[in-house]
Amino acid sequence: MRIGYKEVNPTKILCLGVNYTDHIEETKLEVPKEPLIFPKMLNCLITDGQPIIYPKLLYNNPKYNRIDYEVELAFLIKERCKNVEAKNAFNYIMGYTVFNDITARKMQTKDITSNKPWFRSKSFDTFGPIGPRIVTDSEIGDPHNLKIELRVNGEIRQSSNTKYLLFKIPEILEYITRFFTMEIGDIVATGTPSGIGPVNPGDIIEATIEKIGTLTNRVILEGGTE
Amino acid sequence: MKIGKTKINPTKIICLGRNYLDHIKETNAPIPSEPVFFAKTLNTLVTDNKPIIYPKILHENQEYNRVDHEVELAIVIFQTCKNISAELVNDYIRGYTIFLDLTARIMQKNDRNIHLPWYRSKNFDTFGPIGPRIVPCNQIKDPHNLSIELKVNSEIRQSSNTKHMLFKIPEIVEYLSKYITLVPGDIIATGTPSGIGPILPGDIIEASIENIGIIRHEVILEGD
């Protein structure tokens, strides 16, 4: 796939949950002692300008008809790695981009409370917009001091700064590579700040991170026209 | 990657939990009203009798030091599918193979009990042995009537039949393809029967399914 001008071939997408101090306060969740990791599948990925498809099986079911945006700073892996030490982490990062971790919220809540996997609610087709481009290390400066924002139909819904990340990028990469070999192009999304909320068919979502740019996607109903 | 003589390029591995009635009873889990599925990532895949690596971070931590075997019948997807109805599912299956869904059991239980994702415990490197070959659909008359077995050091630990699957393959693919677009090479593991149990470095694991064959893997400690 292409993100901006860059061709990447990810083999997996790993996401952090509960990783912004402001989001933890908002949800009254416990502060995690170690990073909380879940996967999204590659069928989620779409790029800037492509529509997010609101699945009919959610839309038509009052038990499940809520999908939420979650803007996140993502980084991509530069070379195959395992057991990376935090101090070397930046050697393994190709660059940074914006990721929107779309989530079927009611389905997720129900699955979590019944001890089921955090999976189906996160991995519908198009539930992982990414882009608009990959920005290198040298261009970004400090990835832990970037404004991060999300708008729905022009209205600000999330507005924070990556300095509120609980686990920072070096710790995240050290942690995940103790478990999993990461491959070139693999995507790691670092969690979302406070202000998460629902979207509906017809909405325009703009997710912005300072120095990277804006990722814009419209929500359409499955089977509907763009 | 190659499974036997067939080259495939999977983009995802989707596994069913709680899909054998005997296994549901053994774990005291409720009978699911719809398929329960979770993901494994491609770093887990291992073929050709290469070793299963027992992670040091589990071995050195009493709290987490248990890895379990789970033998499963897996299907490999033949063509892109989304919203497929059950009666057409066979057209979208390339064939059948054996999959071992290795699981860091204590870690999984702890994570699940505090409502964390079922991910890390299932996705250490080499936690998804697969093979020895992909058997095309026309060579397996009824995938729901195959004996399925797992031995550790030649001792039988799991022994069942795919007829005890709760959700059958057509229902599974119909269900999954409502959520997710499946693409050629994608792997779906259909759940494990009863008899799950721990493995240790030095053990030889043999998993077999009637009409498919046998996979054999030694467990070695990471770094050895």
Side-chain angles (χ1 to χ4, degrees):
Chain A
M1 69 176 297
R2 277 178 95 88
I3 301 178
Y5 292 109
K6 211 158 173 109
E7 179 72 30
V8 293
N9 291 299
T11 71
K12 53 185 167 303
I13 310 162
L14 300 183
C15 301
L16 271 81
V18 201
N19 198 38
Y20 270 80
T21 49
D22 56 352
H23 179 54
I24 294 170
E25 277 168 32
E26 149 190 83
T27 53
K28 304 212 162 67
L29 290 165
E30 225 176 288
V31 179
K33 289 188 207 69
E34 49 192 332
L36 184 165
I37 312 288
F38 62 89
K40 287 180 82 117
M41 298 287 102
L42 303 179
N43 60 300
C44 298
L45 292 174
I46 55 169
T47 53
D48 187 37
Q50 292 183 302
I52 296 163
I53 297 171
Y54 198 128
K56 263 199 232 160
L57 78 90
L58 298 177
Y59 195 77
N60 295 334
N61 185 341
K63 263 199 315 191
Y64 291 141
N65 65 351
R66 174 170 164 168
I67 69 173
D68 281 12
Y69 52 77
E70 300 188 359
V71 60
E72 313 202 355
L73 174 67
F75 63 89
L76 284 91
I77 298 296
K78 185 156 80 177
E79 56 182 283
R80 173 180 255 242
C81 55
K82 177 85 210 279
N83 293 323
V84 172
E85 285 180 66
K87 62 178 196 292
N88 300 323
F90 290 110
N91 298 336
Y92 295 92
I93 296 175
M94 177 198 293
Y96 301 88
T97 190
V98 183
F99 187 74
N100 195 348
D101 174 19
I102 305 287
T103 305
R105 184 70 62 203
K106 289 187 193 172
M107 179 175 273
Q108 186 202 26
T109 306
K110 181 171 174 278
D111 285 351
I112 288 176
T113 52
S114 56
N115 289 348
K116 285 190 185 148
W118 288 30
F119 179 63
R120 57 179 189 158
S121 59
K122 291 275 191 182
S123 277
F124 285 92
D125 292 349
T126 76
F127 271 28
I130 192 165
R133 63 187 186 119
I134 298 169
V135 176
T136 57
D137 231 10
S138 55
E139 226 184 309
I140 208 122
D142 180 2
H144 301 105
N145 190 18
L146 302 170
K147 275 188 233 150
I148 179 168
E149 197 177 85
L150 184 135
R151 290 167 195 254
V152 177
N153 303 326
E155 201 177 275
I156 294 184
R157 297 286 184 85
Q158 292 186 280
S159 178
S160 185
N161 190 295
T162 57
K163 70 183 170 198
Y164 298 117
L165 279 171
L166 177 64
F167 296 103
K168 310 292 186 198
I169 291 164
E171 298 168 80
I172 294 170
L173 190 61
E174 176 174 291
Y175 182 83
I176 61 181
T177 61
R178 270 169 29 204
F179 288 79
F180 327 111
T181 296
M182 299 300 285
E183 302 285 351
I184 302 174
D186 282 357
I187 297 161
V188 181
T190 59
T192 199
S194 62
I196 57 170
V199 287
N200 290 303
D203 286 348
I204 308 274
I205 309 179
E206 292 167 290
T208 307
I209 298 178
E210 191 183 349
K211 295 187 182 169
I212 301 175
T214 298
L215 169 68
T216 306
N217 302 88
R218 197 153 92 90
V219 183
I220 64 170
L221 186 60
E222 184 183 359
T225 49
E226 219 180 306
Chain B
M1 67 176 297
K2 272 180 106 148
I3 298 179
K5 288 182 191 154
T6 314
K7 196 168 153 47
I8 60 165
N9 291 301
T11 69
K12 50 189 160 313
I13 308 162
I14 296 173
C15 301
L16 266 79
R18 304 174 197 163
N19 199 36
Y20 274 78
L21 290 167
D22 51 355
H23 176 55
I24 295 170
K25 276 185 205 152
E26 128 189 287
T27 54
N28 293 320
I31 295 177
S33 53
E34 54 190 334
V36 175
F37 62 95
F38 60 90
K40 288 182 81 121
T41 41
L42 303 178
N43 59 303
T44 60
L45 291 175
V46 53
T47 56
D48 299 329
N49 303 334
K50 286 192 203 103
I52 293 162
I53 297 169
Y54 197 110
K56 260 199 220 158
I57 59 167
L58 298 176
H59 196 71
E60 288 167 356
N61 184 340
Q62 276 311 312
E63 208 195 332
Y64 288 138
N65 188 17
R66 176 168 163 169
V67 176
D68 278 10
H69 54 75
E70 299 188 2
V71 60
E72 315 202 353
L73 173 68
I75 61 179
V76 178
I77 294 295
F78 184 52
Q79 51 178 328
T80 301
C81 53
K82 173 83 198 191
N83 292 323
I84 298 305
S85 59
E87 67 269 24
L88 298 175
V89 160
N90 269 351
D91 298 344
Y92 293 86
I93 297 176
R94 174 151 195 177
Y96 303 95
T97 191
I98 303 170
F99 186 72
L100 253 178
D101 174 20
L102 297 176
T103 305
R105 184 70 61 202
I106 304 176
M107 181 177 271
Q108 186 203 22
K109 272 194 186 147
N110 289 359
D111 284 353
R112 213 173 39 198
N113 289 343
I114 54 172
H115 305 310
L116 293 181
W118 291 23
Y119 179 66
R120 56 181 193 159
S121 60
K122 293 268 189 187
N123 282 283
F124 287 91
D125 292 349
T126 77
F127 270 29
I130 191 165
R133 63 193 185 115
I134 298 171
V135 179
C137 293
N138 59 15
Q139 289 178 29
I140 290 192
K141 268 199 197 128
D142 182 3
H144 303 104
N145 190 18
L146 303 171
S147 57
I148 178 168
E149 198 176 83
L150 184 132
K151 292 181 186 179
V152 177
N153 303 326
S154 303
E155 205 175 271
I156 295 181
R157 297 283 185 84
Q158 293 186 273
S159 178
S160 185
N161 189 294
T162 57
K163 70 182 171 201
H164 299 301
M165 283 172 53
L166 179 64
F167 298 101
K168 310 293 187 200
I169 291 164
E171 298 169 79
I172 293 169
V173 178
E174 176 178 278
Y175 183 84
L176 289 177
S177 76
K178 275 189 212 159
Y179 286 78
I180 291 167
T181 297
L182 298 165
V183 302
D186 282 357
I187 296 160
I188 299 167
T190 60
T192 199
S194 64
I196 57 168
I199 58 173
L200 293 166
D203 285 349
I204 305 285
I205 317 298
E206 290 168 293
S208 58
I209 297 177
E210 191 182 350
N211 293 349
I212 299 176
I214 182 165
I215 54 173
R216 185 176 181 279
H217 296 268
E218 188 185 354
V219 185
I220 62 170
L221 185 60
E222 184 184 357
D224 283 4

